[in-house]
Amino acid sequence: MDPTEMISNFRSFMKRVNYSKLSVRSRYYETRRFVAWLGGETELDKVTSKTIYSYLEYLQNRRLKAKTINCYLDGIHRFYEYLYHEEKILIENQVKPAYRQILPMQLQRFLRNEEVDILLNCIRNKRDRAMVMLMLR
């Protein structure tokens, strides 16, 4: 089967199982980009973990953020799951969990002094005010 036809069927499947429009569009373009990156050199059933690793390096060289790379990998992973379970094509999913990028820890965001004042001015109950004051220490 032609890869473009498989991707179109995957898109129809996602719509049928009620994925959000944004998810359908994202997964569709992620799989299209992957197939375009493969070119005519490798067929979808011939993709190995080395191929996925090369694609991962390609994405990193494009200086994409870790979260974006994880989205690309998740889209490809779901596409291969679809091929295996829905199209009954016996292809092993080569997107390994180890290929996921570690996301940097985000710093906690604290309230500014003005925001604390607004919060405290809104609280009328003494007990609630005392609890908030304790949390703000």
Side-chain angles (χ1 to χ4, degrees), residues 120 123 125-137:
L120 290 175
I123 301 172
N125 187 325
K126 288 182 181 180
R127 178 187 57 97
D128 293 345
R129 183 183 207 82
M131 288 173 44
V132 170
M133 294 289 283
L134 282 172
M135 287 189 284
L136 290 173
R137 285 176 109 192

Side-chain angles (χ1 to χ4, degrees), residues 1-12 79 82 87:
M1 186 184 286
D2 181 39
T4 10
E5 187 178 339
M6 285 189 231
I7 295 171
S8 295
N9 292 346
F10 178 51
R11 183 180 189 184
S12 300
F79 177 62
Y82 161 78
E87 295 285 336

